Amino acid sequence: MLLLATIGSAQEMSLSGTVKDSLGVGVDMANVIAINTATQGLESYGITNHAGLFKLKLKTGEQYTVKVSYLGFKPESFTFTAGTQDAVKDIVMQEQAAQLDEVDVTYEMPVSVKGDTIVYDTDAFVSGTEKKLKDVLENLPGIEINDDGQIEVEGKTVSKVMVEGKDFFDGDTKLAVENIPANALNKVEVLRNFNEVSQMKGLTNDDDNVALNIKLKEGKKNFWFGELTAGYGPDDRYLAHPKLFYYSPKYSINIITDLNNIGEVPFGRSDYRNFTGGFRNINSRGGSSISTGADGLGLSSAQNNRANEIDTKFAAANFSYAPIEGLDLSGFGIYSYTGTLMKSERTTSYIISDEVESTTSNTDQTVHLGLAKFSVKYKPNEDFQLDYDALLKQSDDNEEIDVLSISSITDQIVEEKKQKPLSVNQNLNIYYTSNENNIFAVEAQYLYQDEDPFYESIRNEFAFLDIFPVDEDQDVYNFNQAKSVVTNKVDAKVDYYRVLGSKSNINLTLGTTQSNQNFNSNIFQILDNEDILNMDENEFNNEVAFHVSDIYAGIHYKVISGIFTFNPGVTLHQFNLKNEQLGTVVEDNLTSLLPDVYINAQLKKSENLRFNYRVTRSFTDVSNFAQGYVLNNYNSLYSGNRDLESALNHNVSLNFFSFNMFNFTNIFANVAYTKRIDALKSGVNINGINRVSSIINSNFDDESLSASGKYERTLGKIKASVQGSLGWSTTNNLVDNAQRTSNSLTQNYRGALSTNFKNAPNLELGYRYTVNNYENGNLETTFYTSRPYARFDASFLKNFIFTVDYDYYNYTDDADTISNTYSFLESYLTYQKKDSHWEYGVKGTNLLNTTTLNRDSTNELYFSTQAYFVQPRYVLLSVKYDL
């Protein structure tokens, strides 16, 4: 190692210096490149830090042309011959009043900074083994793909992915990272402080808004491109994955399909719930939150997209079209079918009753998901913009669960859940600039939502004989419950911005939210002879009309002073709640003044510290006001409370972010604290493993604290990162009419080291450690998960690519009653000749044939740990054709 270091130092020298403007101030994030005069190749590059410092590594004895550039300054260049000693050279740049729209660039910087945009030349960061956009992004400094498949930049979740400036399935980034081919990429542009409305940029706080724009290679424009993949293996395992893309200046089309039964889920129920379609809360600064509820059945979800058996069919299409200048039409359609078989073994320890329940569950779930969106953007000039969006979402969900429950009694239970919820969301926005000092924004959103969850349980023993007037002279108890929830919600507001100068403005807001919900439910018993026993008493039926009105006016002042941006504000709300049921009306009127404060300290161009404080008032949905009994599952019964009031929340957060392009160091950290006053609390009565719950506004305050941070640095071809997060919460509930405090502390830590060589194998080694500590009353338990992992990829014999993913889990608890180790190994070997359209591969999933994995949970009632069964080993032969 000493010999190599000596040789390296003899062959290379450092050219460093400072780039300054005409006033002697260091220029932050200027591009500095060194071009070898003999080879005309890009030898070295660098980006200045906040003080204007740069450093280049150059080969001794070679002559270079060093070029310096930065937006708004005249480019500078000089000739330099590298000697045997390190050298220092300072550069002074002169301001340039006007620049050409386009500049011919002979040499591309691997990373360049243009204002709020960071541009990565992807060819400088790929090794040739990458298949998808996801693989490329993970190589770029400051960009990460999280466990949910979403893109994160500098610790912020990316809200939008565009290709050639056109939306790619607006509202989700997972479809982009999993489907855009890596070989189509030319550049990745990170758009920080992103705002789709040019008039609004600088008026609002967009620090957390990040978008990605993908630039394609020239051969991928005005041509169809994509790939057709098919695979087959033993046990009739199959994979078919065609995808096609077309991009031109006027229109674009993306088509993605996927059919497989090997457990690869391109779009699941969690993706469906989180898919916003680009819609946002238009009253995010106003301080009020009115819930409309969702997923009334609580369907089971697969863990980490793994299950005992998964069958998937998926199709999606996205388009954009610009018929005339200033008018853009776009939209998408998505269909997904997932058939899932889940099996689990759970042990649940109930705190109050000291009962222990052991269950074995087999779940058969089929889910059909459909989404469609249409958008219009009309911008005839810089002073006016009109946006219209319509998003349709509908699903068809069916789930049957066979449960063997063993506690003080043994019961065989069959549960069936089904629903076809529908929602239509429409959005209309108008932005108008009267003159440079007066800007208006009108935003309106309408939501229609229709939910129809149906629940049935058939069992040998019925848990609530003392409550329901059941017919006990039956072989089995067949209980059914039908529900209907219809929601109409309108949000509308008008914003006026008075620009007081280049560094300050006043924002006046006038708006309203009107939410109307109708909730109906009834419970009935089906007898052995198929007759129906209706339960007509009020306790077992609900017919509720629920209305929430919020009329508000707000004022915010934004001013920039030195490195600080201050944006305090206050919003005055007049709330009116009304619920009608059981022949009477309960009404509540409330006036509330809700302040918020935003402070940003811009320490450097790419380093800031942000503080947020906000008081919010939250309102629950109609289901919690319905006083008639509702069956949640076989051992849980619920009754609402029509006298509920809103909860007040104090939210404080502090965020730090630093991205140093000089040495490719990325640091971010955030701390958030929430205190809930008059929060909604569950009041529960326990009988063995069965519970009857309701809800109240409690005088007990709840608190939660979360913190996370990450340090990442790239040293040449090696990237190292350390990150961690913790979440603490304390909640108070009524259990058997007594206060019970529950504390939870979760900790997650991760360290990783990865390489990015172009002509050598690459390896990522990492270690994750998770601690979940739960405390309920006088009982406490802790679960630990150790997870070392490795990723390896290599290109060999010119035409072969080999990748391996390995994850090891060690799951234990502090009482040494649980100890389970398991691991997952996946591998992929492909062969493709240079310039050939055909690729052949062998893919193996779960090669170690792991059968189960573990998860744990807790609440104020019980501790639970579960063994969850997953798919066995699969091996597929695949063929891919590149278009």
Side-chain angles (χ1 to χ4, degrees):
M1 291 176 64
L2 289 173
L3 179 61
L4 289 173
T6 303
I7 294 173
S9 64
Q11 293 178 338
E12 287 189 345
M13 55 84 64
S14 292
L15 173 64
S16 59
T18 304
V19 178
K20 300 179 181 179
D21 61 18
S22 57
L23 300 178
V25 178
V27 178
D28 188 5
M29 290 194 172
N31 299 324
V32 185
I33 60 175
I35 302 167
N36 191 302
T37 305
T39 65
Q40 288 299 298
L42 178 63
E43 188 74 43
S44 182
Y45 74 94
I47 296 175
T48 59
N49 68 2
H50 67 282
L53 181 65
F54 73 91
K55 182 182 289 187
L56 302 175
K57 288 289 186 181
L58 304 175
K59 294 179 181 178
T60 59
E62 300 285 342
Q63 188 179 69
Y64 298 93
T65 299
V66 179
K67 297 185 177 182
V68 185
S69 62
Y70 186 73
L71 194 66
F73 289 85
K74 295 179 181 178
E76 301 288 340
S77 65
F78 60 91
T79 301
F80 177 78
T81 300
T84 57
Q85 302 294 323
D86 293 344
V88 176
K89 173 73 174 178
D90 294 336
I91 299 104
V92 177
M93 303 190 74
Q94 302 296 323
E95 291 189 15
Q96 183 169 271
Q99 289 183 290
L100 298 175
D101 292 336
E102 296 184 5
V103 178
D104 292 331
V105 180
T106 306
Y107 300 96
E108 294 288 353
M109 284 283 292
V111 184
S112 59
V113 180
K114 301 175 182 177
D116 286 334
T117 302
I118 302 176
V119 183
Y120 296 92
D121 181 10
T122 57
D123 285 343
F125 294 94
V126 297
S127 63
T129 62
E130 295 81 9
K131 298 293 184 182
K132 306 173 184 176
L133 173 62
K134 171 185 177 180
D135 305 323
V136 176
L137 294 180
E138 288 178 333
N139 293 334
L140 305 183
I143 300 181
E144 182 180 6
I145 308 298
N146 64 24
D147 292 338
D148 296 324
Q150 303 296 320
I151 307 171
E152 290 185 355
V153 174
E154 301 160 1
K156 307 164 190 172
T157 301
V158 171
S159 58
K160 181 188 289 285
V161 173
M162 298 174 287
V163 179
E164 293 293 333
K166 304 178 188 300
D167 289 349
F168 190 91
F169 292 97
D170 189 19
D172 181 77
T173 61
K174 182 179 177 181
L175 288 177
V177 300
E178 294 291 348
N179 290 284
I180 297 178
N183 59 11
L185 307 182
N186 181 28
K187 290 180 174 60
V188 172
E189 296 178 342
V190 176
L191 311 176
R192 299 180 296 176
N193 301 316
F194 179 73
N195 196 316
E196 293 185 78
V197 184
S198 58
Q199 297 108 301
M200 305 300 292
K201 192 169 180 62
L203 299 178
T204 56
N205 302 315
D206 301 318
D207 305 82
D208 291 324
N209 297 340
V210 182
L212 247 61
N213 183 40
I214 308 300
K215 306 289 285 185
L216 301 175
K217 293 180 178 178
E218 286 302 320
K220 304 299 182 181
K221 300 176 186 177
N222 299 308
F223 292 97
W224 283 98
F225 70 93
E227 59 190 39
L228 308 175
T229 305
Y232 188 78
D235 302 321
D236 290 328
R237 297 295 144 184
Y238 63 85
L239 168 68
H241 190 20
K243 48 191 177 184
L244 299 170
F245 309 94
Y246 183 88
Y247 282 89
S248 71
K250 196 169 185 178
Y251 65 91
S252 68
I253 301 173
N254 307 288
I255 301 173
I256 302 170
T257 61
D258 193 322
L259 297 88
N260 75 83
N261 62 356
I262 61 173
E264 295 184 356
V265 181
F267 193 83
R269 291 189 69 254
S270 60
D271 302 312
Y272 175 81
R273 287 194 303 268
N274 297 330
F275 203 100
T276 64
F279 283 73
R280 57 185 175 83
N281 179 13
I282 68 173
N283 188 28
S284 57
R285 282 209 306 182
S288 62
S289 171
I290 300 173
S291 174
T292 57
D295 192 13
L297 286 177
L299 297 180
S300 305
S301 59
Q303 180 171 335
N304 300 332
N305 284 333
R306 299 181 185 271
N308 208 27
E309 181 79 24
I310 303 178
D311 183 22
T312 294
K313 297 175 177 63
F314 172 79
N318 180 84
F319 82 94
S320 65
Y321 176 53
I324 60 174
E325 185 176 355
L327 178 63
D328 290 291
L329 309 177
S330 62
F332 59 74
I334 297 175
Y335 168 76
S336 175
Y337 161 81
T338 306
T340 309
L341 298 179
M342 290 175 271
K343 179 181 179 180
S344 64
E345 295 176 350
R346 180 194 297 263
T347 300
T348 304
S349 300
Y350 289 85
I351 300 167
I352 293 295
S353 63
D354 289 329
E355 286 269 8
V356 176
E357 181 190 21
S358 298
T359 59
T360 300
S361 301
N362 290 280
T363 302
D364 185 351
Q365 182 186 95
T366 59
V367 174
H368 300 262
L369 306 172
L371 301 95
K373 182 186 178 186
F374 178 72
S375 299
V376 179
K377 177 181 177 181
Y378 179 59
K379 191 175 179 65
N381 52 61
E382 291 299 318
D383 296 331
F384 181 83
Q385 179 172 324
L386 182 147
D387 300 331
Y388 172 77
D389 305 280
L391 175 67
L392 168 70
K393 298 175 70 173
Q394 184 167 28
S395 68
D396 185 356
D397 311 325
N398 291 272
E399 179 175 284
E400 185 174 308
I401 310 173
D402 293 326
V403 182
L404 175 62
S405 171
I406 302 174
S407 58
S408 57
I409 61 172
T410 299
D411 197 3
Q412 187 73 46
I413 306 154
V414 177
E415 293 182 296
E416 184 174 353
K417 305 175 182 180
K418 54 186 178 181
Q419 63 180 0
K420 290 184 179 180
L422 167 72
S423 71
V424 179
N425 209 338
Q426 298 183 78
N427 190 76
L428 177 66
N429 301 326
I430 299 174
Y431 306 96
Y432 174 65
T433 301
S434 175
N435 54 52
E436 62 181 10
N437 295 324
N438 298 281
I439 300 172
F440 298 87
V442 179
E443 298 175 311
Q445 196 170 115
Y446 169 64
L447 170 67
Y448 171 79
Q449 191 170 273
D450 188 353
E451 301 172 272
D452 61 344
F454 184 86
Y455 173 78
E456 178 185 33
S457 70
I458 302 174
R459 57 189 303 183
N460 296 322
E461 304 288 340
F462 187 63
F464 307 106
L465 291 175
D466 56 335
I467 297 177
F468 288 89
V470 301
D471 186 339
E472 300 184 45
D473 189 22
Q474 303 294 312
D475 292 336
V476 294
Y477 292 100
N478 186 336
F479 252 63
N480 297 261
Q481 174 180 268
K483 287 198 296 184
S484 172
V485 186
V486 177
T487 301
N488 288 274
K489 183 182 178 186
V490 176
D491 291 275
K493 70 167 183 170
V494 178
D495 280 297
Y496 166 66
Y497 294 89
R498 174 66 178 178
V499 180
L500 304 177
S502 61
K503 295 186 177 182
S504 63
N505 68 75
I506 293 177
N507 170 215
L508 301 177
T509 304
L510 181 65
T512 184
T513 299
Q514 302 291 323
S515 176
N516 291 280
Q517 291 187 289
N518 291 284
F519 180 97
N520 294 277
S521 72
N522 62 292
I523 298 174
F524 56 92
Q525 182 185 6
I526 297 180
L527 306 179
D528 292 345
N529 60 5
E530 298 188 358
D531 286 345
I532 295 177
L533 174 61
N534 289 305
M535 300 181 187
D536 298 323
E537 295 84 351
N538 290 332
E539 297 96 316
F540 314 114
N541 293 271
N542 285 292
E543 187 174 347
V544 186
F546 178 59
H547 173 72
V548 181
S549 171
D550 174 17
I551 300 174
Y552 58 89
I555 181 170
H556 289 80
Y557 176 64
K558 183 177 181 180
V559 61
I560 300 174
S561 177
I563 66 170
F564 292 99
T565 298
F566 300 93
N567 192 193
V570 64
T571 306
L572 178 65
H573 292 262
Q574 178 61 49
F575 298 106
N576 173 259
L577 277 73
K578 185 187 299 183
N579 76 83
E580 183 178 352
Q581 57 182 309
L582 302 175
T584 59
V585 177
V586 174
E587 190 170 359
D588 183 24
N589 293 292
L590 174 67
T591 301
S592 189
L593 191 66
L594 304 177
D596 62 276
V597 177
Y598 167 89
I599 302 173
N600 179 26
Q602 196 69 40
L603 307 176
K604 301 172 186 175
K605 186 166 292 187
S606 286
E607 182 175 290
N608 63 30
L609 183 66
R610 302 193 310 278
F611 171 82
N612 271 289
Y613 171 69
R614 180 170 297 168
V615 180
T616 63
R617 191 166 286 280
S618 58
F619 298 83
T620 187
D621 64 283
V622 64
S623 61
N624 285 321
F625 286 85
Q627 294 209 155
Y629 284 114
V630 173
L631 288 166
N632 287 333
N633 56 46
Y634 67 87
N635 66 342
S636 176
L637 187 64
Y638 176 79
S639 173
N641 179 359
R642 67 182 308 184
D643 295 317
L644 291 177
E645 298 177 348
S646 60
L648 195 67
N649 307 297
H650 292 266
N651 308 285
V652 183
S653 66
L654 187 65
N655 300 271
F656 173 78
F657 134 75
S658 175
F659 189 51
N660 190 335
M661 298 294 290
F662 175 71
N663 55 14
F664 292 110
T665 300
N666 180 33
I667 305 172
F668 71 82
N670 62 75
V671 179
Y673 170 78
T674 299
K675 184 173 184 178
R676 290 173 290 277
I677 301 172
D678 289 333
L680 300 183
K681 306 291 182 178
S682 62
V684 185
N685 291 312
I686 298 290
N687 181 12
I689 66 170
N690 304 307
R691 56 190 182 273
V692 180
S693 59
S694 187
I695 193 167
I696 62 169
N697 286 101
S698 170
N699 293 324
F700 310 130
D701 295 340
D702 287 352
E703 297 176 276
S704 64
L705 175 72
S706 63
S708 63
K710 180 179 180 180
Y711 176 89
E712 177 188 277
R713 183 163 183 178
T714 302
L715 301 168
K717 297 296 183 180
I718 298 176
K719 182 167 69 174
S721 65
V722 178
Q723 65 186 79
S725 65
L726 64 86
W728 168 83
S729 66
T730 179
T731 58
N732 297 274
N733 291 280
L734 292 177
V735 180
D736 286 346
N737 298 316
Q739 179 188 354
R740 176 170 292 277
T741 301
S742 303
N743 294 298
S744 171
L745 177 63
T746 61
Q747 304 170 68
N748 293 278
Y749 306 100
R750 177 183 176 185
L753 195 67
S754 62
T755 64
N756 186 20
F757 298 112
K758 272 189 173 292
N759 301 308
N762 285 295
L763 177 67
E764 179 183 356
L765 296 175
Y767 182 78
R768 300 178 188 234
Y769 185 64
T770 302
V771 182
N772 294 332
N773 175 262
Y774 307 121
E775 180 183 351
N776 266 311
N778 297 321
L779 298 177
E780 183 177 1
T781 188
T782 306
F783 300 95
Y784 306 91
T785 303
S786 300
R787 182 186 166 189
Y789 67 92
R791 310 279 185 266
F792 174 81
D793 64 79
S795 176
F796 63 97
L797 298 179
K798 295 183 179 180
N799 302 319
F800 288 90
I801 294 176
F802 180 59
T803 63
V804 177
D805 284 0
Y806 176 73
D807 290 89
Y808 175 86
Y809 295 79
N810 181 23
Y811 179 79
T812 60
D813 67 345
D814 57 349
D816 293 326
T817 58
I818 301 173
S819 181
N820 188 21
T821 60
Y822 53 94
S823 55
F824 291 99
L825 176 65
E826 298 187 356
S827 183
Y828 199 14
L829 175 65
T830 63
Y831 171 79
Q832 184 174 21
K833 284 186 177 181
K834 186 178 180 181
D835 300 326
S836 172
H837 291 280
W838 293 95
E839 177 190 273
Y840 306 93
V842 180
K843 182 176 185 177
T845 62
N846 193 10
L847 291 172
L848 301 178
N849 215 26
T850 298
T851 57
T852 62
L853 51 84
N854 295 91
R855 58 182 173 184
D856 53 75
S857 62
T858 188
N859 57 30
E860 70 277 7
L861 305 177
Y862 57 76
F863 301 108
S864 175
T865 184
Q866 176 177 300
Y868 182 84
F869 289 78
V870 298
Q871 285 180 303
R873 178 194 302 120
Y874 294 138
V875 178
L876 269 77
L877 299 175
S878 64
V879 178
K880 184 180 78 171
Y881 180 77
D882 291 324
L883 297 175

